[in-house]
Amino acid sequence: MSRKQTPSDFLKQIIGRPVVVKLNSGVDYRGVLACLDGYMNIALEQTEEYVNGQLKNKYGDAFIRGNNVFYISTQKRKGLMN
Amino acid sequence: MASVNPSQLLPLELVDKCIGSKIHIIMKSEKEIVGTLLGFDDFVNMVLEDVTEYESTTEGRRISKLDQILLNGNNITMLVPGGEGPEM
């Protein structure tokens, strides 16, 4: 039963782009996507950590374990309400 | 007794029909996502576009994101094809 490849296609497309990663806890990480795998484990560069919409921390490199990931989103500047 | 209806609609077929249209996704927690469905996989991880995120807090927060997202299927409870989202 092999369905649409879209999630894995999406993952290939977004490497190198600035992304927003939201965790199950609600914490937000914004950075450049260095790499990721099928478990949604993520490596980010130039990462900013937002808690409740407020910038809390900056990390040069960050590794996020995939089980915590709620979503991965690409960022566009227009109309980003936060 | 139980006869096989050849025109049965399987759950994933219903989701598949929804590709290209708006879908409303309800999570296990007090959170909902509305967006255009681009695709999904066997785990029902979903790729969506033009997404609005709704959170049920005392103020009823709403976050709007554009572009594409990959939503982790782990937390999904229910999918509503063509849904407009919570009435807020």
Short mmCIF file of all heavy atoms in Angstrom, two decimals, chain A residues 18-76:
data_model
loop_
_atom_site.label_atom_id
_atom_site.label_comp_id
_atom_site.label_asym_id
_atom_site.label_seq_id
_atom_site.Cartn_x
_atom_site.Cartn_y
_atom_site.Cartn_z
N PRO A 18 14.89 28.53 5.56
CA PRO A 18 14.50 28.90 6.92
C PRO A 18 13.16 28.26 7.27
O PRO A 18 12.23 28.29 6.45
CB PRO A 18 14.37 30.42 6.88
CG PRO A 18 14.37 30.79 5.44
CD PRO A 18 14.87 29.66 4.64
N VAL A 19 13.08 27.65 8.43
CA VAL A 19 11.86 26.96 8.83
C VAL A 19 11.46 27.34 10.24
O VAL A 19 12.23 27.90 11.00
CB VAL A 19 12.03 25.42 8.77
CG1 VAL A 19 12.16 24.93 7.35
CG2 VAL A 19 13.20 24.96 9.62
N VAL A 20 10.22 27.01 10.56
CA VAL A 20 9.72 27.11 11.92
C VAL A 20 9.40 25.69 12.35
O VAL A 20 8.67 24.99 11.66
CB VAL A 20 8.42 27.94 11.98
CG1 VAL A 20 7.94 28.06 13.41
CG2 VAL A 20 8.62 29.30 11.37
N VAL A 21 9.94 25.27 13.48
CA VAL A 21 9.62 23.95 13.99
C VAL A 21 8.86 24.14 15.28
O VAL A 21 9.37 24.74 16.22
CB VAL A 21 10.89 23.13 14.26
CG1 VAL A 21 10.52 21.76 14.79
CG2 VAL A 21 11.72 23.00 12.99
N LYS A 22 7.64 23.65 15.34
CA LYS A 22 6.89 23.76 16.58
C LYS A 22 6.90 22.40 17.25
O LYS A 22 6.67 21.37 16.61
CB LYS A 22 5.45 24.17 16.30
CG LYS A 22 4.66 24.45 17.57
CD LYS A 22 3.60 25.48 17.32
CE LYS A 22 3.17 26.14 18.60
NZ LYS A 22 2.38 27.33 18.32
N LEU A 23 7.14 22.41 18.53
CA LEU A 23 7.16 21.17 19.30
C LEU A 23 5.81 20.93 19.95
O LEU A 23 4.99 21.84 20.06
CB LEU A 23 8.24 21.24 20.39
CG LEU A 23 9.66 21.47 19.93
CD1 LEU A 23 10.62 21.17 21.07
CD2 LEU A 23 10.02 20.64 18.72
N ASN A 24 5.60 19.71 20.40
CA ASN A 24 4.37 19.36 21.11
C ASN A 24 4.17 20.24 22.34
O ASN A 24 3.05 20.51 22.73
CB ASN A 24 4.40 17.90 21.54
CG ASN A 24 4.37 16.97 20.34
OD1 ASN A 24 3.78 17.28 19.31
ND2 ASN A 24 5.01 15.82 20.48
N SER A 25 5.28 20.69 22.92
CA SER A 25 5.20 21.52 24.11
C SER A 25 4.75 22.94 23.79
O SER A 25 4.42 23.70 24.69
CB SER A 25 6.58 21.60 24.77
OG SER A 25 7.50 22.19 23.85
N GLY A 26 4.72 23.30 22.50
CA GLY A 26 4.32 24.65 22.12
C GLY A 26 5.49 25.58 21.87
O GLY A 26 5.32 26.67 21.35
N VAL A 27 6.69 25.14 22.23
CA VAL A 27 7.88 25.95 21.97
C VAL A 27 8.17 25.96 20.47
O VAL A 27 7.99 24.97 19.78
CB VAL A 27 9.09 25.41 22.75
CG1 VAL A 27 10.32 26.24 22.47
CG2 VAL A 27 8.79 25.41 24.24
N ASP A 28 8.63 27.09 20.00
CA ASP A 28 8.84 27.37 18.59
C ASP A 28 10.33 27.53 18.33
O ASP A 28 10.99 28.23 19.08
CB ASP A 28 8.21 28.75 18.38
CG ASP A 28 7.50 28.84 17.09
OD1 ASP A 28 8.17 28.60 16.07
OD2 ASP A 28 6.31 29.17 17.12
N TYR A 29 10.86 26.93 17.28
CA TYR A 29 12.25 27.14 16.93
C TYR A 29 12.33 27.62 15.48
O TYR A 29 11.75 27.00 14.59
CB TYR A 29 13.06 25.85 17.07
CG TYR A 29 13.23 25.45 18.51
CD1 TYR A 29 12.30 24.62 19.13
CD2 TYR A 29 14.30 25.92 19.25
CE1 TYR A 29 12.43 24.28 20.46
CE2 TYR A 29 14.45 25.57 20.58
CZ TYR A 29 13.51 24.76 21.18
OH TYR A 29 13.65 24.43 22.49
N ARG A 30 13.03 28.72 15.27
CA ARG A 30 13.21 29.23 13.91
C ARG A 30 14.67 29.18 13.54
O ARG A 30 15.52 29.67 14.28
CB ARG A 30 12.72 30.67 13.84
CG ARG A 30 11.24 30.75 13.94
CD ARG A 30 10.74 32.14 14.27
NE ARG A 30 9.36 32.00 14.72
CZ ARG A 30 8.31 32.33 13.97
NH1 ARG A 30 8.48 32.83 12.77
NH2 ARG A 30 7.09 32.12 14.43
N GLY A 31 14.95 28.59 12.39
CA GLY A 31 16.34 28.51 11.97
C GLY A 31 16.42 27.99 10.56
O GLY A 31 15.39 27.77 9.91
N VAL A 32 17.64 27.78 10.10
CA VAL A 32 17.84 27.23 8.77
C VAL A 32 17.96 25.72 8.88
O VAL A 32 18.74 25.21 9.69
CB VAL A 32 19.11 27.83 8.12
CG1 VAL A 32 19.36 27.20 6.77
CG2 VAL A 32 18.98 29.33 8.01
N LEU A 33 17.20 25.01 8.08
CA LEU A 33 17.19 23.56 8.17
C LEU A 33 18.45 22.95 7.57
O LEU A 33 18.68 23.02 6.37
CB LEU A 33 15.95 23.04 7.44
CG LEU A 33 15.65 21.56 7.59
CD1 LEU A 33 15.41 21.19 9.05
CD2 LEU A 33 14.43 21.20 6.78
N ALA A 34 19.28 22.36 8.44
CA ALA A 34 20.52 21.75 7.96
C ALA A 34 20.23 20.37 7.40
O ALA A 34 20.64 20.01 6.31
CB ALA A 34 21.55 21.71 9.08
N CYS A 35 19.52 19.57 8.21
CA CYS A 35 19.08 18.28 7.70
C CYS A 35 18.01 17.67 8.58
O CYS A 35 17.77 18.15 9.69
CB CYS A 35 20.25 17.31 7.53
SG CYS A 35 21.14 17.04 9.04
N LEU A 36 17.36 16.63 8.08
CA LEU A 36 16.39 15.94 8.89
C LEU A 36 16.23 14.53 8.35
O LEU A 36 16.74 14.19 7.30
CB LEU A 36 15.06 16.68 8.88
CG LEU A 36 14.30 16.63 7.59
CD1 LEU A 36 12.85 16.45 7.89
CD2 LEU A 36 14.48 17.90 6.81
N ASP A 37 15.52 13.69 9.11
CA ASP A 37 15.34 12.31 8.66
C ASP A 37 13.86 11.92 8.74
O ASP A 37 13.01 12.75 9.08
CB ASP A 37 16.23 11.35 9.46
CG ASP A 37 15.86 11.30 10.93
OD1 ASP A 37 14.75 11.74 11.31
OD2 ASP A 37 16.68 10.79 11.71
N GLY A 38 13.58 10.68 8.44
CA GLY A 38 12.20 10.20 8.39
C GLY A 38 11.51 10.16 9.73
O GLY A 38 10.29 10.04 9.81
N TYR A 39 12.27 10.28 10.79
CA TYR A 39 11.67 10.32 12.13
C TYR A 39 11.35 11.75 12.54
O TYR A 39 10.92 11.98 13.65
CB TYR A 39 12.64 9.73 13.17
CG TYR A 39 12.92 8.27 12.96
CD1 TYR A 39 14.14 7.85 12.44
CD2 TYR A 39 11.97 7.30 13.27
CE1 TYR A 39 14.42 6.51 12.25
CE2 TYR A 39 12.23 5.97 13.07
CZ TYR A 39 13.45 5.58 12.56
OH TYR A 39 13.72 4.24 12.37
N MET A 40 11.58 12.69 11.62
CA MET A 40 11.46 14.12 11.92
C MET A 40 12.50 14.59 12.92
O MET A 40 12.31 15.64 13.54
CB MET A 40 10.04 14.50 12.40
CG MET A 40 9.01 14.34 11.32
SD MET A 40 7.52 15.30 11.68
CE MET A 40 6.34 14.47 10.68
N ASN A 41 13.59 13.86 13.12
CA ASN A 41 14.75 14.41 13.82
C ASN A 41 15.27 15.54 12.96
O ASN A 41 15.30 15.43 11.74
CB ASN A 41 15.87 13.37 13.99
CG ASN A 41 15.46 12.24 14.88
OD1 ASN A 41 14.73 12.42 15.85
ND2 ASN A 41 15.92 11.04 14.57
N ILE A 42 15.67 16.66 13.58
CA ILE A 42 16.01 17.87 12.84
C ILE A 42 17.32 18.45 13.32
O ILE A 42 17.57 18.50 14.53
CB ILE A 42 14.88 18.91 13.04
CG1 ILE A 42 13.62 18.45 12.34
CG2 ILE A 42 15.28 20.28 12.53
CD1 ILE A 42 12.42 19.25 12.73
N ALA A 43 18.12 18.92 12.38
CA ALA A 43 19.28 19.73 12.72
C ALA A 43 19.07 21.12 12.15
O ALA A 43 18.80 21.27 10.97
CB ALA A 43 20.55 19.11 12.14
N LEU A 44 19.16 22.12 13.01
CA LEU A 44 18.94 23.51 12.60
C LEU A 44 20.19 24.33 12.82
O LEU A 44 20.97 24.05 13.73
CB LEU A 44 17.83 24.16 13.43
CG LEU A 44 16.38 23.76 13.21
CD1 LEU A 44 15.49 24.49 14.19
CD2 LEU A 44 15.94 24.05 11.80
N GLU A 45 20.36 25.38 12.03
CA GLU A 45 21.45 26.34 12.25
C GLU A 45 20.86 27.70 12.53
O GLU A 45 19.75 28.01 12.07
CB GLU A 45 22.33 26.40 11.00
CG GLU A 45 23.14 25.15 10.78
CD GLU A 45 23.84 25.15 9.43
OE1 GLU A 45 23.50 25.99 8.59
OE2 GLU A 45 24.71 24.29 9.23
N GLN A 46 21.61 28.53 13.26
CA GLN A 46 21.17 29.90 13.59
C GLN A 46 19.77 29.88 14.17
O GLN A 46 18.85 30.52 13.68
CB GLN A 46 21.16 30.79 12.36
CG GLN A 46 22.51 30.95 11.70
CD GLN A 46 22.36 31.26 10.22
OE1 GLN A 46 21.46 32.01 9.85
NE2 GLN A 46 23.21 30.67 9.40
N THR A 47 19.62 29.11 15.22
CA THR A 47 18.30 28.83 15.78
C THR A 47 17.89 29.87 16.81
O THR A 47 18.69 30.29 17.63
CB THR A 47 18.34 27.46 16.47
OG1 THR A 47 18.92 26.53 15.58
CG2 THR A 47 16.95 27.01 16.85
N GLU A 48 16.61 30.24 16.75
CA GLU A 48 16.04 31.10 17.78
C GLU A 48 14.90 30.34 18.43
O GLU A 48 14.09 29.71 17.74
CB GLU A 48 15.51 32.40 17.17
CG GLU A 48 16.60 33.24 16.54
CD GLU A 48 16.04 34.44 15.81
OE1 GLU A 48 14.90 34.37 15.33
OE2 GLU A 48 16.76 35.44 15.73
N GLU A 49 14.83 30.42 19.74
CA GLU A 49 13.81 29.70 20.50
C GLU A 49 12.77 30.68 21.01
O GLU A 49 13.09 31.64 21.69
CB GLU A 49 14.48 28.99 21.69
CG GLU A 49 13.53 28.26 22.60
CD GLU A 49 14.27 27.61 23.76
OE1 GLU A 49 14.65 28.32 24.70
OE2 GLU A 49 14.47 26.39 23.70
N TYR A 50 11.52 30.46 20.65
CA TYR A 50 10.43 31.33 21.08
C TYR A 50 9.51 30.58 22.02
O TYR A 50 8.98 29.52 21.68
CB TYR A 50 9.62 31.80 19.87
CG TYR A 50 10.35 32.76 18.98
CD1 TYR A 50 11.24 32.30 18.02
CD2 TYR A 50 10.18 34.12 19.13
CE1 TYR A 50 11.93 33.19 17.21
CE2 TYR A 50 10.86 35.02 18.31
CZ TYR A 50 11.74 34.54 17.36
OH TYR A 50 12.42 35.43 16.57
N VAL A 51 9.32 31.12 23.20
CA VAL A 51 8.38 30.54 24.15
C VAL A 51 7.29 31.57 24.35
O VAL A 51 7.57 32.71 24.70
CB VAL A 51 9.08 30.22 25.49
CG1 VAL A 51 8.09 29.60 26.45
CG2 VAL A 51 10.25 29.29 25.26
N ASN A 52 6.03 31.16 24.12
CA ASN A 52 4.89 32.09 24.19
C ASN A 52 5.11 33.31 23.31
O ASN A 52 4.80 34.43 23.70
CB ASN A 52 4.64 32.56 25.63
CG ASN A 52 4.13 31.42 26.48
OD1 ASN A 52 3.48 30.50 25.98
ND2 ASN A 52 4.45 31.45 27.77
N GLY A 53 5.68 33.08 22.15
CA GLY A 53 5.86 34.18 21.22
C GLY A 53 7.03 35.08 21.54
O GLY A 53 7.33 36.02 20.80
N GLN A 54 7.72 34.80 22.63
CA GLN A 54 8.85 35.66 23.01
C GLN A 54 10.18 34.96 22.77
O GLN A 54 10.35 33.80 23.12
CB GLN A 54 8.76 35.98 24.49
CG GLN A 54 7.71 36.99 24.83
CD GLN A 54 7.95 37.53 26.23
OE1 GLN A 54 8.42 36.80 27.09
NE2 GLN A 54 7.65 38.79 26.45
N LEU A 55 11.12 35.71 22.22
CA LEU A 55 12.44 35.14 21.97
C LEU A 55 13.16 34.86 23.29
O LEU A 55 13.31 35.75 24.12
CB LEU A 55 13.26 36.12 21.13
CG LEU A 55 14.69 35.71 20.80
CD1 LEU A 55 14.71 34.40 20.04
CD2 LEU A 55 15.37 36.80 19.98
N LYS A 56 13.55 33.63 23.46
CA LYS A 56 14.16 33.24 24.74
C LYS A 56 15.64 32.94 24.62
O LYS A 56 16.41 33.19 25.52
CB LYS A 56 13.45 32.00 25.28
CG LYS A 56 12.11 32.26 25.88
CD LYS A 56 12.22 32.80 27.30
CE LYS A 56 10.86 33.13 27.86
NZ LYS A 56 10.83 33.18 29.32
N ASN A 57 16.04 32.33 23.51
CA ASN A 57 17.42 31.84 23.40
C ASN A 57 17.86 31.83 21.95
O ASN A 57 17.03 31.78 21.04
CB ASN A 57 17.48 30.39 23.88
CG ASN A 57 17.89 30.29 25.31
OD1 ASN A 57 18.88 30.87 25.73
ND2 ASN A 57 17.11 29.55 26.08
N LYS A 58 19.15 31.86 21.76
CA LYS A 58 19.66 31.67 20.41
C LYS A 58 20.72 30.59 20.46
O LYS A 58 21.55 30.55 21.36
CB LYS A 58 20.30 32.96 19.91
CG LYS A 58 19.30 34.04 19.62
CD LYS A 58 19.94 35.22 18.94
CE LYS A 58 18.90 36.34 18.82
NZ LYS A 58 19.43 37.49 18.11
N TYR A 59 20.69 29.69 19.49
CA TYR A 59 21.68 28.62 19.45
C TYR A 59 22.31 28.60 18.07
O TYR A 59 21.62 28.77 17.08
CB TYR A 59 21.01 27.27 19.70
CG TYR A 59 20.19 27.20 20.98
CD1 TYR A 59 18.81 27.22 20.92
CD2 TYR A 59 20.80 27.09 22.22
CE1 TYR A 59 18.05 27.14 22.06
CE2 TYR A 59 20.05 27.01 23.38
CZ TYR A 59 18.67 27.04 23.30
OH TYR A 59 17.92 26.97 24.44
N GLY A 60 23.62 28.35 18.03
CA GLY A 60 24.28 28.25 16.73
C GLY A 60 23.79 27.03 15.98
O GLY A 60 23.43 27.09 14.82
N ASP A 61 23.78 25.91 16.67
CA ASP A 61 23.30 24.66 16.08
C ASP A 61 22.34 24.02 17.06
O ASP A 61 22.56 24.08 18.27
CB ASP A 61 24.46 23.69 15.84
CG ASP A 61 25.31 24.11 14.65
OD1 ASP A 61 24.72 24.47 13.62
OD2 ASP A 61 26.54 24.06 14.78
N ALA A 62 21.31 23.40 16.54
CA ALA A 62 20.36 22.72 17.43
C ALA A 62 19.94 21.40 16.83
O ALA A 62 19.72 21.30 15.61
CB ALA A 62 19.14 23.61 17.65
N PHE A 63 19.83 20.40 17.66
CA PHE A 63 19.30 19.11 17.24
C PHE A 63 17.99 18.86 17.99
O PHE A 63 17.95 18.96 19.21
CB PHE A 63 20.30 17.99 17.55
CG PHE A 63 19.73 16.62 17.32
CD1 PHE A 63 19.66 16.09 16.04
CD2 PHE A 63 19.22 15.88 18.38
CE1 PHE A 63 19.10 14.83 15.83
CE2 PHE A 63 18.66 14.61 18.17
CZ PHE A 63 18.60 14.09 16.90
N ILE A 64 16.96 18.54 17.23
CA ILE A 64 15.66 18.28 17.84
C ILE A 64 15.27 16.84 17.58
O ILE A 64 15.27 16.38 16.43
CB ILE A 64 14.60 19.23 17.25
CG1 ILE A 64 14.98 20.69 17.53
CG2 ILE A 64 13.22 18.92 17.81
CD1 ILE A 64 14.08 21.68 16.85
N ARG A 65 14.90 16.13 18.63
CA ARG A 65 14.48 14.75 18.47
C ARG A 65 13.07 14.70 17.89
O ARG A 65 12.17 15.39 18.39
CB ARG A 65 14.55 14.01 19.81
CG ARG A 65 14.58 12.50 19.65
CD ARG A 65 14.73 11.80 20.99
NE ARG A 65 14.95 10.37 20.86
CZ ARG A 65 13.99 9.49 20.63
NH1 ARG A 65 12.74 9.88 20.50
NH2 ARG A 65 14.27 8.19 20.53
N GLY A 66 12.90 13.90 16.88
CA GLY A 66 11.67 13.91 16.09
C GLY A 66 10.37 13.63 16.82
O GLY A 66 9.31 14.11 16.41
N ASN A 67 10.42 12.89 17.90
CA ASN A 67 9.17 12.55 18.60
C ASN A 67 8.51 13.78 19.21
O ASN A 67 7.33 13.76 19.55
CB ASN A 67 9.41 11.50 19.67
CG ASN A 67 10.28 12.02 20.79
OD1 ASN A 67 11.41 12.41 20.57
ND2 ASN A 67 9.75 12.06 21.99
N ASN A 68 9.29 14.88 19.35
CA ASN A 68 8.74 16.09 19.96
C ASN A 68 8.09 17.02 18.95
O ASN A 68 7.48 18.00 19.35
CB ASN A 68 9.86 16.88 20.64
CG ASN A 68 10.53 16.08 21.73
OD1 ASN A 68 9.89 15.76 22.72
ND2 ASN A 68 11.79 15.74 21.54
N VAL A 69 8.27 16.71 17.67
CA VAL A 69 7.89 17.69 16.65
C VAL A 69 6.39 17.67 16.37
O VAL A 69 5.81 16.63 16.08
CB VAL A 69 8.67 17.43 15.34
CG1 VAL A 69 8.17 18.33 14.22
CG2 VAL A 69 10.15 17.64 15.57
N PHE A 70 5.78 18.84 16.43
CA PHE A 70 4.36 19.00 16.11
C PHE A 70 4.20 19.32 14.63
O PHE A 70 3.42 18.69 13.92
CB PHE A 70 3.78 20.11 16.98
CG PHE A 70 2.32 20.36 16.77
CD1 PHE A 70 1.38 19.40 17.09
CD2 PHE A 70 1.88 21.57 16.24
CE1 PHE A 70 0.02 19.63 16.89
CE2 PHE A 70 0.52 21.80 16.04
CZ PHE A 70 -0.41 20.83 16.36
N TYR A 71 4.97 20.33 14.16
CA TYR A 71 5.03 20.55 12.72
C TYR A 71 6.34 21.20 12.31
O TYR A 71 7.07 21.74 13.13
CB TYR A 71 3.86 21.38 12.20
CG TYR A 71 3.75 22.82 12.68
CD1 TYR A 71 4.73 23.77 12.42
CD2 TYR A 71 2.60 23.24 13.34
CE1 TYR A 71 4.61 25.08 12.85
CE2 TYR A 71 2.46 24.55 13.77
CZ TYR A 71 3.47 25.46 13.52
OH TYR A 71 3.32 26.76 13.94
N ILE A 72 6.63 21.11 11.02
CA ILE A 72 7.76 21.82 10.41
C ILE A 72 7.15 22.69 9.33
O ILE A 72 6.42 22.21 8.46
CB ILE A 72 8.73 20.83 9.74
CG1 ILE A 72 9.24 19.80 10.74
CG2 ILE A 72 9.89 21.58 9.10
CD1 ILE A 72 9.96 18.64 10.09
N SER A 73 7.45 23.98 9.36
CA SER A 73 6.86 24.89 8.39
C SER A 73 7.92 25.74 7.72
O SER A 73 8.86 26.16 8.37
CB SER A 73 5.86 25.80 9.11
OG SER A 73 5.43 26.83 8.27
N THR A 74 7.75 25.97 6.42
CA THR A 74 8.62 26.93 5.78
C THR A 74 8.12 28.32 6.12
O THR A 74 6.96 28.49 6.52
CB THR A 74 8.63 26.75 4.25
OG1 THR A 74 7.27 26.75 3.80
CG2 THR A 74 9.27 25.44 3.86
N GLN A 75 8.98 29.30 6.00
CA GLN A 75 8.61 30.66 6.39
C GLN A 75 8.57 31.57 5.18
O GLN A 75 9.51 31.59 4.41
CB GLN A 75 9.69 31.25 7.28
CG GLN A 75 9.80 30.68 8.64
CD GLN A 75 10.77 31.52 9.45
OE1 GLN A 75 10.52 32.67 9.71
NE2 GLN A 75 11.90 30.94 9.79
N LYS A 76 7.50 32.31 5.08
CA LYS A 76 7.49 33.38 4.10
C LYS A 76 7.22 34.65 4.86
O LYS A 76 6.50 34.64 5.84
CB LYS A 76 6.39 33.14 3.07
CG LYS A 76 6.92 32.60 1.78
CD LYS A 76 5.92 32.70 0.68
CE LYS A 76 6.50 32.05 -0.56
NZ LYS A 76 5.47 31.47 -1.39
#
